Amino acid sequence: MGQIVIVAYKPKPGKEEALKQLMKTHLPRLKQEGLVTDRESIIMEATDGTIIEVFEWLSTEAIANAHSNKAVQQMWGEYAEVCDYVPLNMLKETNDMFAGFKPVD
């Protein structure tokens, strides 16, 4: 059974576009490693520039396997250069009954 997750990536100063470009490769790279389902991800942007992604891991085992996968570790290193992971409740939109975000294509 898959596990849907929501992740918030806060771009480091001056790295907003680099993060958006990296986001285009995230799901395809995880798919190549057999770690996610075929469900398309949803990528959106908060008013403070944080990028939010909703995607589905293949299983809890796939999540665990990602932590020892060299390709995933390399990708996570690339993310560390351009952003920090932040809790969703840090986004002001999460205080609204219906949190709204700008779509990222």
Coordinates of all heavy atoms in Angstrom, one line a residue:
M1 N 0.8 -1.2 0.0 CA 0.0 0.0 0.0 C 0.9 1.2 0.0 O 1.9 1.3 0.7 CB -0.9 0.0 1.2 CG -1.7 1.3 1.3 SD -2.8 1.3 2.8 CE -4.2 0.5 2.1
G2 N 0.5 2.2 -0.8 CA 1.3 3.4 -0.9 C 1.1 4.3 0.3 O 0.2 4.1 1.1
Q3 N 2.0 5.3 0.4 CA 1.9 6.3 1.4 C 2.0 7.7 0.8 O 3.1 8.0 0.3 CB 2.9 6.1 2.5 CG 2.7 7.1 3.7 CD 3.6 6.8 4.9 OE1 4.2 5.7 4.9 NE2 3.5 7.6 5.8
I4 N 1.0 8.5 0.9 CA 1.0 9.9 0.4 C 1.6 10.8 1.4 O 1.2 10.7 2.6 CB -0.4 10.3 0.0 CG1 -0.9 9.5 -1.2 CG2 -0.4 11.8 -0.4 CD1 -2.3 9.8 -1.6
V5 N 2.6 11.6 1.0 CA 3.2 12.6 1.9 C 3.1 14.0 1.3 O 2.9 14.2 0.1 CB 4.7 12.2 2.1 CG1 4.8 10.9 2.8 CG2 5.5 12.2 0.8
I6 N 3.2 14.9 2.2 CA 3.2 16.3 1.8 C 4.5 16.9 2.4 O 4.8 16.8 3.6 CB 2.0 17.1 2.4 CG1 0.7 16.5 2.0 CG2 2.1 18.6 2.0 CD1 -0.5 17.0 2.8
V7 N 5.3 17.5 1.5 CA 6.6 18.0 1.9 C 6.7 19.5 1.5 O 6.3 19.9 0.5 CB 7.8 17.2 1.2 CG1 9.1 17.7 1.7 CG2 7.6 15.7 1.3
A8 N 7.3 20.3 2.4 CA 7.5 21.7 2.2 C 9.0 22.0 2.1 O 9.8 21.7 3.0 CB 6.9 22.5 3.3
Y9 N 9.4 22.6 1.0 CA 10.8 22.9 0.7 C 11.0 24.5 0.7 O 10.4 25.1 -0.2 CB 11.2 22.4 -0.7 CG 10.9 21.0 -1.0 CD1 9.7 20.6 -1.6 CD2 11.8 20.0 -0.7 CE1 9.4 19.3 -1.9 CE2 11.5 18.6 -1.0 CZ 10.3 18.3 -1.6 OH 10.0 17.0 -1.9
K10 N 11.7 25.0 1.7 CA 11.9 26.5 1.7 C 13.2 26.8 1.0 O 14.3 26.4 1.4 CB 12.0 26.9 3.2 CG 12.3 28.4 3.3 CD 11.2 29.1 4.1 CE 11.5 30.5 4.2 NZ 10.5 31.3 3.5
P11 N 13.1 27.5 -0.1 CA 14.4 27.8 -0.9 C 15.3 28.7 -0.1 O 14.9 29.6 0.6 CB 13.9 28.5 -2.1 CG 12.5 29.0 -1.8 CD 12.0 28.1 -0.7
K12 N 16.6 28.3 -0.2 CA 17.6 29.2 0.3 C 17.7 30.5 -0.5 O 17.3 30.5 -1.6 CB 19.0 28.5 0.3 CG 18.9 27.3 1.3 CD 20.3 26.6 1.4 CE 20.1 25.4 2.4 NZ 21.4 24.7 2.6
P13 N 18.1 31.6 0.1 CA 18.2 32.9 -0.6 C 18.9 32.7 -2.0 O 20.0 32.2 -2.1 CB 19.0 33.8 0.3 CG 18.7 33.2 1.7 CD 18.7 31.7 1.5
G14 N 18.2 33.2 -3.0 CA 18.8 33.2 -4.3 C 18.7 31.9 -5.0 O 19.1 31.7 -6.2
K15 N 18.0 30.9 -4.4 CA 18.0 29.5 -5.0 C 16.6 29.1 -5.4 O 16.3 28.0 -5.7 CB 18.5 28.5 -3.9 CG 19.9 28.7 -3.5 CD 20.9 28.4 -4.6 CE 22.3 28.6 -4.1 NZ 23.3 28.2 -5.2
E16 N 15.7 30.1 -5.5 CA 14.3 29.8 -5.8 C 14.1 29.1 -7.2 O 13.4 28.1 -7.3 CB 13.4 31.1 -5.8 CG 13.4 31.8 -4.5 CD 14.6 32.7 -4.2 OE1 15.5 32.8 -5.0 OE2 14.6 33.3 -3.1
E17 N 14.8 29.6 -8.2 CA 14.6 29.0 -9.5 C 15.4 27.6 -9.6 O 14.9 26.7 -10.2 CB 15.2 29.9 -10.6 CG 14.2 31.1 -10.9 CD 12.8 30.6 -11.2 OE1 12.6 29.7 -12.1 OE2 11.8 31.1 -10.6
A18 N 16.5 27.5 -8.9 CA 17.2 26.2 -8.9 C 16.3 25.2 -8.2 O 16.3 24.0 -8.7 CB 18.5 26.4 -8.1
L19 N 15.6 25.5 -7.2 CA 14.7 24.6 -6.5 C 13.6 24.2 -7.5 O 13.3 23.0 -7.6 CB 14.1 25.2 -5.2 CG 13.1 24.3 -4.5 CD1 13.6 22.9 -4.2 CD2 12.5 25.0 -3.3
K20 N 13.0 25.1 -8.1 CA 11.9 24.8 -9.1 C 12.4 23.9 -10.2 O 11.7 23.0 -10.6 CB 11.3 26.1 -9.7 CG 10.4 26.8 -8.7 CD 9.8 28.1 -9.2 CE 9.0 28.8 -8.2 NZ 8.4 30.1 -8.7
Q21 N 13.6 24.1 -10.7 CA 14.1 23.2 -11.7 C 14.4 21.8 -11.1 O 14.1 20.8 -11.8 CB 15.4 23.8 -12.3 CG 15.2 25.0 -13.1 CD 14.2 24.8 -14.3 OE1 14.3 23.9 -15.0 NE2 13.3 25.7 -14.4
L22 N 14.9 21.7 -9.9 CA 15.1 20.4 -9.3 C 13.8 19.7 -9.0 O 13.8 18.5 -9.2 CB 15.9 20.7 -8.0 CG 16.4 19.4 -7.2 CD1 17.3 18.6 -8.1 CD2 17.2 19.9 -6.0
M23 N 12.8 20.4 -8.7 CA 11.5 19.8 -8.5 C 11.0 19.0 -9.7 O 10.3 18.0 -9.6 CB 10.4 20.8 -8.1 CG 10.7 21.5 -6.7 SD 10.8 20.3 -5.3 CE 9.3 19.4 -5.5
K24 N 11.4 19.5 -10.9 CA 10.9 18.8 -12.1 C 11.5 17.4 -12.2 O 11.0 16.5 -12.9 CB 11.3 19.6 -13.4 CG 10.6 20.9 -13.4 CD 11.1 21.7 -14.6 CE 10.3 23.1 -14.7 NZ 10.8 23.9 -15.9
T25 N 12.6 17.2 -11.5 CA 13.3 15.9 -11.6 C 13.0 14.9 -10.5 O 13.4 13.8 -10.5 CB 14.9 16.1 -11.7 OG1 15.4 16.5 -10.4 CG2 15.2 17.0 -12.8
H26 N 12.4 15.5 -9.4 CA 12.2 14.7 -8.2 C 11.5 13.4 -8.4 O 12.0 12.3 -8.2 CB 11.5 15.6 -7.2 CG 11.4 14.9 -5.8 ND1 10.2 14.7 -5.2 CD2 12.3 14.4 -5.0 CE1 10.4 14.1 -4.0 NE2 11.7 13.9 -3.9
L27 N 10.2 13.5 -8.9 CA 9.4 12.3 -9.1 C 10.0 11.3 -10.1 O 10.1 10.1 -9.8 CB 8.0 12.6 -9.4 CG 7.0 11.5 -9.1 CD1 6.9 11.2 -7.6 CD2 5.6 12.0 -9.6
P28 N 10.5 11.8 -11.3 CA 11.1 10.9 -12.2 C 12.3 10.1 -11.7 O 12.4 8.9 -11.9 CB 11.5 11.8 -13.4 CG 10.6 13.0 -13.3 CD 10.3 13.2 -11.8
R29 N 13.1 10.8 -10.9 CA 14.2 10.1 -10.3 C 13.8 9.0 -9.3 O 14.4 8.0 -9.2 CB 15.2 11.1 -9.7 CG 15.8 12.0 -10.7 CD 16.5 13.2 -10.2 NE 17.8 13.0 -9.7 CZ 18.6 13.9 -9.2 NH1 18.1 15.2 -9.2 NH2 19.8 13.6 -8.7
L30 N 12.8 9.3 -8.5 CA 12.3 8.4 -7.5 C 11.6 7.2 -8.3 O 11.7 6.0 -7.8 CB 11.3 9.0 -6.5 CG 11.9 10.0 -5.5 CD1 10.8 10.6 -4.7 CD2 12.9 9.3 -4.6
K31 N 10.9 7.5 -9.4 CA 10.3 6.4 -10.2 C 11.4 5.5 -10.7 O 11.2 4.3 -10.8 CB 9.5 7.0 -11.3 CG 8.1 7.5 -10.9 CD 7.3 8.0 -12.1 CE 6.0 8.5 -11.7 NZ 5.2 9.1 -12.8
Q32 N 12.4 6.1 -11.2 CA 13.5 5.3 -11.8 C 14.1 4.3 -10.8 O 14.5 3.2 -11.1 CB 14.6 6.2 -12.3 CG 15.8 5.5 -13.0 CD 16.8 6.5 -13.6 OE1 16.6 7.7 -13.6 NE2 17.8 6.0 -14.1
E33 N 14.1 4.7 -9.5 CA 14.6 3.8 -8.5 C 13.5 2.8 -7.9 O 13.8 2.1 -7.0 CB 15.1 4.7 -7.3 CG 16.3 5.5 -7.7 CD 17.5 4.7 -8.2 OE1 17.8 3.7 -7.6 OE2 18.0 5.1 -9.3
G34 N 12.3 2.9 -8.5 CA 11.2 2.0 -8.1 C 10.7 2.3 -6.7 O 10.2 1.4 -6.0
L35 N 10.7 3.6 -6.3 CA 10.3 4.0 -4.9 C 8.9 4.6 -4.8 O 8.4 4.8 -3.7 CB 11.4 4.9 -4.3 CG 12.7 4.2 -4.2 CD1 13.8 5.2 -3.8 CD2 12.7 3.1 -3.2
V36 N 8.3 5.1 -5.9 CA 7.1 5.8 -5.9 C 6.1 5.1 -6.8 O 6.4 4.4 -7.7 CB 7.2 7.3 -6.2 CG1 8.0 8.0 -5.2 CG2 7.8 7.5 -7.6
T37 N 4.8 5.4 -6.6 CA 3.7 4.9 -7.5 C 3.7 5.7 -8.7 O 4.4 6.7 -8.9 CB 2.4 5.0 -6.8 OG1 2.0 6.4 -6.6 CG2 2.4 4.3 -5.4
D38 N 2.8 5.4 -9.6 CA 2.6 6.1 -10.9 C 1.8 7.4 -10.7 O 1.6 8.1 -11.7 CB 1.9 5.2 -11.9 CG 2.9 4.1 -12.4 OD1 4.1 4.3 -12.4 OD2 2.4 3.0 -12.8
R39 N 1.3 7.6 -9.5 CA 0.4 8.8 -9.2 C 1.3 10.0 -9.5 O 2.4 10.1 -9.0 CB -0.1 8.8 -7.8 CG -1.0 9.9 -7.5 CD -1.4 9.9 -6.0 NE -1.9 8.7 -5.5 CZ -3.2 8.3 -5.5 NH1 -4.1 9.1 -6.0 NH2 -3.5 7.1 -5.0
E40 N 0.8 11.0 -10.2 CA 1.5 12.2 -10.5 C 1.6 13.1 -9.2 O 0.6 13.0 -8.4 CB 0.8 13.0 -11.6 CG 0.9 12.4 -13.0 CD 2.3 12.3 -13.4 OE1 3.1 13.3 -13.2 OE2 2.7 11.3 -14.0
S41 N 2.6 13.8 -9.0 CA 2.7 14.6 -7.8 C 2.0 16.0 -8.1 O 1.8 16.3 -9.3 CB 4.2 14.9 -7.5 OG 4.8 15.6 -8.5
I42 N 1.7 16.7 -7.1 CA 1.2 18.0 -7.1 C 2.2 18.9 -6.5 O 2.7 18.7 -5.4 CB -0.2 18.1 -6.4 CG1 -1.2 17.2 -7.0 CG2 -0.6 19.6 -6.4 CD1 -2.5 17.1 -6.2
I43 N 2.6 19.9 -7.3 CA 3.6 20.9 -6.8 C 3.0 22.3 -6.8 O 2.4 22.7 -7.8 CB 4.9 20.8 -7.7 CG1 5.5 19.4 -7.7 CG2 5.9 21.8 -7.2 CD1 6.6 19.2 -8.6
M44 N 3.2 23.0 -5.7 CA 2.6 24.3 -5.5 C 3.5 25.2 -4.7 O 4.5 24.7 -4.1 CB 1.2 24.1 -4.9 CG 1.2 23.3 -3.6 SD -0.4 22.7 -3.2 CE 0.0 21.1 -2.6
E45 N 3.1 26.5 -4.7 CA 4.0 27.5 -4.0 C 3.2 28.3 -3.0 O 2.1 28.8 -3.3 CB 4.6 28.4 -5.0 CG 5.6 29.4 -4.5 CD 6.3 30.2 -5.6 OE1 6.1 29.9 -6.8 OE2 7.1 31.1 -5.2
A46 N 3.8 28.4 -1.8 CA 3.1 29.3 -0.8 C 3.5 30.8 -1.1 O 4.4 31.0 -1.8 CB 3.6 28.9 0.6
T47 N 2.9 31.7 -0.4 CA 3.1 33.1 -0.6 C 4.5 33.5 -0.2 O 5.1 34.4 -0.7 CB 2.1 34.0 0.1 OG1 2.1 33.6 1.5 CG2 0.7 33.8 -0.4
D48 N 5.2 32.7 0.7 CA 6.5 33.1 1.1 C 7.6 32.4 0.2 O 8.8 32.5 0.5 CB 6.8 32.7 2.6 CG 6.9 31.2 2.8 OD1 6.6 30.4 1.9 OD2 7.2 30.8 4.0
G49 N 7.1 31.7 -0.9 CA 8.0 31.1 -1.8 C 8.3 29.6 -1.5 O 9.0 29.0 -2.3
T50 N 7.9 29.1 -0.4 CA 8.1 27.7 -0.1 C 7.3 26.8 -1.1 O 6.2 27.1 -1.5 CB 7.5 27.4 1.3 OG1 8.3 28.2 2.3 CG2 7.7 25.9 1.7
I51 N 8.0 25.8 -1.6 CA 7.4 24.9 -2.5 C 6.9 23.7 -1.8 O 7.6 23.1 -0.9 CB 8.5 24.4 -3.6 CG1 9.1 25.6 -4.3 CG2 7.9 23.4 -4.5 CD1 8.1 26.4 -5.1
I52 N 5.6 23.3 -2.0 CA 5.0 22.2 -1.4 C 4.8 21.1 -2.5 O 4.3 21.4 -3.6 CB 3.6 22.6 -0.8 CG1 3.8 23.7 0.3 CG2 3.0 21.4 -0.1 CD1 3.6 25.0 -0.3
E53 N 5.0 19.9 -2.1 CA 4.8 18.8 -3.0 C 4.0 17.7 -2.3 O 4.3 17.3 -1.1 CB 6.2 18.2 -3.5 CG 6.0 17.0 -4.4 CD 7.3 16.4 -4.9 OE1 8.3 16.5 -4.1 OE2 7.4 15.9 -6.0
V54 N 3.1 17.1 -3.0 CA 2.3 16.0 -2.6 C 2.6 14.8 -3.5 O 2.5 15.0 -4.7 CB 0.8 16.3 -2.6 CG1 0.0 15.0 -2.1 CG2 0.4 17.5 -1.8
F55 N 3.1 13.7 -3.0 CA 3.4 12.6 -3.8 C 3.3 11.3 -3.0 O 3.1 11.3 -1.8 CB 4.8 12.7 -4.4 CG 6.0 12.5 -3.5 CD1 6.6 11.3 -3.3 CD2 6.5 13.6 -2.7 CE1 7.7 11.1 -2.4 CE2 7.5 13.4 -1.8 CZ 8.1 12.2 -1.7
E56 N 3.3 10.2 -3.7 CA 3.0 8.9 -3.1 C 4.2 7.9 -3.2 O 4.6 7.5 -4.3 CB 1.8 8.2 -3.8 CG 1.4 7.0 -3.1 CD 0.1 6.4 -3.7 OE1 -0.3 6.8 -4.8 OE2 -0.5 5.5 -3.0
W57 N 4.8 7.6 -2.0 CA 5.8 6.5 -2.0 C 5.1 5.2 -2.3 O 3.9 5.0 -2.0 CB 6.4 6.5 -0.6 CG 7.3 7.6 -0.2 CD1 7.0 8.7 0.5 CD2 8.7 7.8 -0.6 NE1 8.1 9.5 0.7 CE2 9.1 9.0 0.0 CE3 9.5 7.0 -1.3 CZ2 10.4 9.4 -0.2 CZ3 10.8 7.4 -1.5 CH2 11.3 8.6 -0.9
L58 N 5.8 4.3 -2.8 CA 5.3 2.9 -3.1 C 4.8 2.2 -1.8 O 3.8 1.5 -1.8 CB 6.3 2.1 -3.8 CG 5.9 0.8 -4.4 CD1 4.8 1.1 -5.5 CD2 7.1 0.1 -5.1
S59 N 5.6 2.4 -0.7 CA 5.3 1.7 0.5 C 6.1 2.3 1.6 O 7.1 3.1 1.4 CB 5.6 0.2 0.4 OG 7.0 0.0 0.2
T60 N 5.9 1.9 2.9 CA 6.7 2.3 4.0 C 8.1 1.7 3.8 O 9.1 2.3 4.2 CB 6.2 2.0 5.3 OG1 5.9 0.6 5.4 CG2 4.9 2.8 5.6
E61 N 8.2 0.5 3.2 CA 9.5 -0.1 2.9 C 10.3 0.7 1.9 O 11.5 0.9 2.0 CB 9.3 -1.5 2.4 CG 8.8 -2.5 3.5 CD 7.2 -2.4 3.6 OE1 6.6 -1.8 2.7 OE2 6.8 -2.9 4.6
A62 N 9.6 1.3 0.9 CA 10.3 2.1 -0.1 C 10.9 3.4 0.6 O 12.0 3.8 0.2 CB 9.3 2.5 -1.2
I63 N 10.1 3.9 1.5 CA 10.7 5.1 2.2 C 12.0 4.7 3.0 O 13.0 5.4 2.9 CB 9.6 5.7 3.2 CG1 8.4 6.2 2.5 CG2 10.2 6.8 4.1 CD1 7.2 6.5 3.3
A64 N 11.9 3.6 3.6 CA 13.1 3.1 4.4 C 14.3 2.8 3.4 O 15.4 3.2 3.7 CB 12.8 1.9 5.2
N65 N 13.9 2.2 2.3 CA 15.0 1.9 1.3 C 15.6 3.2 0.7 O 16.8 3.2 0.3 CB 14.4 1.0 0.1 CG 14.1 -0.4 0.6 OD1 14.6 -0.8 1.7 ND2 13.2 -1.0 -0.1
A66 N 14.8 4.2 0.6 CA 15.4 5.5 0.0 C 16.6 6.0 0.8 O 17.5 6.6 0.3 CB 14.3 6.6 0.0
H67 N 16.6 5.7 2.1 CA 17.6 6.2 3.0 C 19.0 5.5 2.8 O 20.0 6.0 3.3 CB 17.2 6.1 4.5 CG 16.1 7.1 4.8 ND1 16.4 8.4 5.2 CD2 14.8 7.0 4.7 CE1 15.2 9.0 5.4 NE2 14.2 8.2 5.1
S68 N 19.0 4.4 2.1 CA 20.2 3.7 1.8 C 20.5 3.6 0.3 O 21.4 3.0 -0.2 CB 20.2 2.3 2.4 OG 19.1 1.5 1.8
N69 N 19.6 4.3 -0.5 CA 19.8 4.3 -2.0 C 20.7 5.4 -2.4 O 20.5 6.6 -2.1 CB 18.4 4.5 -2.6 CG 18.4 4.5 -4.1 OD1 19.1 5.3 -4.7 ND2 17.6 3.6 -4.7
K70 N 21.8 5.1 -3.1 CA 22.8 6.0 -3.5 C 22.3 7.1 -4.4 O 22.7 8.3 -4.2 CB 24.0 5.3 -4.1 CG 24.8 4.5 -3.1 CD 26.0 3.9 -3.8 CE 26.7 3.0 -2.8 NZ 28.1 3.2 -2.7
A71 N 21.4 6.8 -5.3 CA 20.9 7.8 -6.2 C 20.0 8.8 -5.5 O 20.1 10.0 -5.7 CB 20.1 7.1 -7.3
V72 N 19.2 8.3 -4.5 CA 18.4 9.2 -3.7 C 19.2 10.0 -2.8 O 19.0 11.2 -2.6 CB 17.3 8.3 -2.9 CG1 16.5 9.2 -2.0 CG2 16.4 7.6 -3.9
Q73 N 20.3 9.4 -2.2 CA 21.1 10.2 -1.3 C 21.8 11.4 -2.1 O 21.9 12.5 -1.6 CB 22.2 9.3 -0.7 CG 21.7 8.3 0.3 CD 21.0 8.9 1.5 OE1 21.6 9.8 2.1 NE2 19.9 8.5 1.8
Q74 N 22.2 11.1 -3.3 CA 22.8 12.1 -4.2 C 21.8 13.2 -4.4 O 22.1 14.4 -4.3 CB 23.3 11.6 -5.5 CG 23.8 12.6 -6.4 CD 24.2 12.1 -7.8 OE1 24.4 10.9 -8.0 NE2 24.3 13.0 -8.8
M75 N 20.5 12.8 -4.8 CA 19.5 13.8 -5.0 C 19.2 14.6 -3.8 O 19.0 15.9 -3.9 CB 18.2 13.1 -5.5 CG 17.0 14.0 -5.8 SD 15.6 13.2 -6.4 CE 15.2 12.1 -5.1
W76 N 19.1 14.0 -2.6 CA 18.9 14.7 -1.4 C 20.0 15.7 -1.1 O 19.7 16.8 -0.6 CB 18.6 13.8 -0.2 CG 17.3 13.1 -0.3 CD1 16.2 13.4 -1.1 CD2 16.9 12.0 0.5 NE1 15.2 12.5 -0.8 CE2 15.6 11.6 0.1 CE3 17.5 11.2 1.5 CZ2 14.9 10.6 0.7 CZ3 16.8 10.2 2.1 CH2 15.5 9.9 1.7
G77 N 21.2 15.4 -1.5 CA 22.3 16.3 -1.4 C 22.1 17.6 -2.2 O 22.4 18.7 -1.8
E78 N 21.6 17.4 -3.4 CA 21.3 18.5 -4.3 C 20.2 19.4 -3.7 O 20.2 20.6 -3.8 CB 20.8 17.9 -5.7 CG 21.9 17.2 -6.4 CD 21.4 16.5 -7.7 OE1 20.3 16.9 -8.2 OE2 22.0 15.5 -8.1
Y79 N 19.2 18.7 -3.1 CA 18.1 19.5 -2.4 C 18.7 20.3 -1.2 O 18.3 21.5 -1.0 CB 17.0 18.6 -1.9 CG 15.9 18.4 -2.9 CD1 16.0 17.4 -3.9 CD2 14.8 19.2 -2.9 CE1 15.1 17.2 -4.8 CE2 13.8 19.0 -3.9 CZ 14.0 18.0 -4.8 OH 13.0 17.8 -5.8
A80 N 19.6 19.7 -0.5 CA 20.3 20.4 0.7 C 21.0 21.7 0.2 O 21.1 22.6 1.0 CB 21.2 19.5 1.4
E81 N 21.5 21.7 -1.0 CA 22.2 22.9 -1.5 C 21.2 24.1 -1.8 O 21.6 25.2 -1.8 CB 22.9 22.5 -2.8 CG 24.1 21.6 -2.5 CD 24.8 21.2 -3.8 OE1 24.6 21.9 -4.9 OE2 25.6 20.2 -3.8
V82 N 19.9 23.8 -2.1 CA 19.0 24.8 -2.6 C 17.9 25.1 -1.6 O 17.1 26.1 -1.8 CB 18.5 24.5 -4.0 CG1 19.6 24.5 -5.0 CG2 17.7 23.3 -4.0
C83 N 17.6 24.2 -0.6 CA 16.5 24.4 0.2 C 16.6 23.8 1.6 O 17.6 23.0 1.8 CB 15.2 23.9 -0.4 SG 15.1 22.1 -0.5
D84 N 15.7 24.1 2.5 CA 15.6 23.5 3.8 C 14.2 22.9 3.8 O 13.2 23.5 3.3 CB 15.8 24.5 4.9 CG 17.2 25.0 5.0 OD1 18.1 24.2 5.0 OD2 17.3 26.3 5.0
Y85 N 14.0 21.8 4.5 CA 12.7 21.2 4.7 C 12.1 21.9 5.9 O 12.8 22.1 6.9 CB 12.8 19.7 5.0 CG 13.4 18.9 3.8 CD1 14.8 18.7 3.8 CD2 12.7 18.5 2.8 CE1 15.4 18.0 2.8 CE2 13.2 17.8 1.7 CZ 14.6 17.5 1.7 OH 15.2 16.9 0.7
V86 N 10.8 22.3 5.8 CA 10.1 23.0 6.9 C 8.8 22.3 7.2 O 8.2 21.7 6.3 CB 9.9 24.5 6.6 CG1 11.2 25.2 6.5 CG2 9.1 24.7 5.4
P87 N 8.4 22.3 8.4 CA 7.1 21.7 8.8 C 5.9 22.5 8.1 O 6.0 23.8 7.9 CB 7.0 21.9 10.3 CG 8.3 22.2 10.8 CD 9.1 22.8 9.6
L88 N 4.9 21.8 7.7 CA 3.8 22.5 7.0 C 3.2 23.6 7.9 O 2.7 24.6 7.3 CB 2.7 21.5 6.7 CG 3.0 20.5 5.6 CD1 1.9 19.5 5.4 CD2 3.3 21.2 4.3
N89 N 3.1 23.4 9.2 CA 2.5 24.4 10.0 C 3.3 25.7 10.1 O 2.8 26.7 10.7 CB 2.2 23.9 11.4 CG 3.5 23.6 12.2 OD1 4.6 23.7 11.7 ND2 3.3 23.1 13.5
M90 N 4.4 25.8 9.5 CA 5.2 27.0 9.4 C 4.6 27.9 8.3 O 4.9 29.1 8.2 CB 6.7 26.8 9.1 CG 7.3 26.0 10.2 SD 7.4 26.8 11.8 CE 8.5 28.1 11.4
L91 N 3.8 27.4 7.4 CA 3.2 28.1 6.3 C 1.9 28.8 6.8 O 1.0 28.2 7.3 CB 2.9 27.2 5.1 CG 4.1 26.4 4.6 CD1 3.7 25.4 3.5 CD2 5.2 27.4 4.1
K92 N 1.8 30.1 6.5 CA 0.6 30.8 7.0 C -0.7 30.3 6.4 O -1.7 30.3 7.0 CB 0.7 32.3 6.7 CG 0.6 32.8 5.3 CD 0.6 34.3 5.3 CE 0.2 34.8 3.9 NZ -1.2 34.8 3.6
E93 N -0.6 29.7 5.2 CA -1.8 29.2 4.5 C -2.4 28.1 5.3 O -3.6 27.8 5.2 CB -1.5 28.7 3.1 CG -1.1 29.8 2.1 CD 0.3 30.2 2.1 OE1 1.1 29.8 3.0 OE2 0.7 30.9 1.2
T94 N -1.6 27.4 6.1 CA -2.2 26.2 6.9 C -3.1 26.7 8.0 O -3.8 25.8 8.6 CB -1.1 25.3 7.4 OG1 -0.3 26.1 8.3 CG2 -0.2 24.8 6.3
N95 N -3.2 28.0 8.3 CA -4.1 28.5 9.3 C -5.5 28.6 8.7 O -6.5 28.9 9.5 CB -3.6 29.8 9.9 CG -2.4 29.6 10.7 OD1 -2.3 28.7 11.5 ND2 -1.4 30.4 10.4
D96 N -5.6 28.6 7.4 CA -6.9 28.8 6.7 C -7.7 27.4 6.7 O -7.1 26.4 6.6 CB -6.7 29.3 5.3 CG -6.0 30.7 5.3 OD1 -6.1 31.4 6.3 OD2 -5.4 31.0 4.3
M97 N -9.0 27.5 6.7 CA -9.8 26.3 6.6 C -9.5 25.6 5.3 O -9.4 24.3 5.3 CB -11.3 26.7 6.7 CG -12.2 25.5 6.6 SD -12.1 24.4 8.0 CE -12.9 25.4 9.2
F98 N -9.3 26.3 4.2 CA -9.0 25.7 2.9 C -7.7 26.4 2.5 O -7.7 27.5 1.9 CB -10.1 26.0 1.9 CG -11.4 25.3 2.2 CD1 -12.4 26.0 2.9 CD2 -11.6 24.0 1.9 CE1 -13.6 25.4 3.2 CE2 -12.8 23.4 2.2 CZ -13.8 24.1 2.9
A99 N -6.6 25.7 2.8 CA -5.2 26.3 2.5 C -5.1 26.4 0.9 O -5.2 25.3 0.3 CB -4.1 25.4 3.1
G100 N -4.8 27.5 0.4 CA -4.7 27.7 -1.0 C -3.3 28.1 -1.4 O -2.6 28.8 -0.7
F101 N -2.8 27.5 -2.5 CA -1.4 27.7 -3.0 C -1.4 27.9 -4.5 O -2.3 27.5 -5.2 CB -0.6 26.5 -2.6 CG -0.5 26.1 -1.2 CD1 -1.3 25.2 -0.6 CD2 0.4 26.8 -0.4 CE1 -1.3 24.9 0.7 CE2 0.5 26.5 1.0 CZ -0.4 25.6 1.5
K102 N -0.4 28.5 -5.0 CA -0.2 28.8 -6.4 C 0.4 27.5 -7.1 O 1.4 27.0 -6.6 CB 0.7 30.0 -6.6 CG 1.0 30.4 -8.0 CD 1.9 31.6 -8.0 CE 3.1 31.3 -8.9 NZ 4.1 32.4 -8.9
P103 N -0.2 27.1 -8.2 CA 0.3 25.9 -8.9 C 1.7 26.2 -9.4 O 2.0 27.3 -9.9 CB -0.7 25.7 -10.0 CG -1.9 26.5 -9.7 CD -1.4 27.6 -8.8
V104 N 2.6 25.2 -9.4 CA 3.9 25.3 -10.0 C 3.9 24.3 -11.2 O 3.6 23.1 -11.0 CB 5.0 25.0 -9.1 CG1 6.4 24.9 -9.8 CG2 5.0 26.0 -7.9
D105 N 4.2 24.8 -12.4 CA 4.2 23.9 -13.6 C 5.6 23.4 -13.8 O 6.5 24.0 -13.6 CB 3.6 24.6 -14.8 CG 2.1 25.0 -14.6 OD1 1.4 24.2 -14.0 OD2 1.8 26.0 -15.0

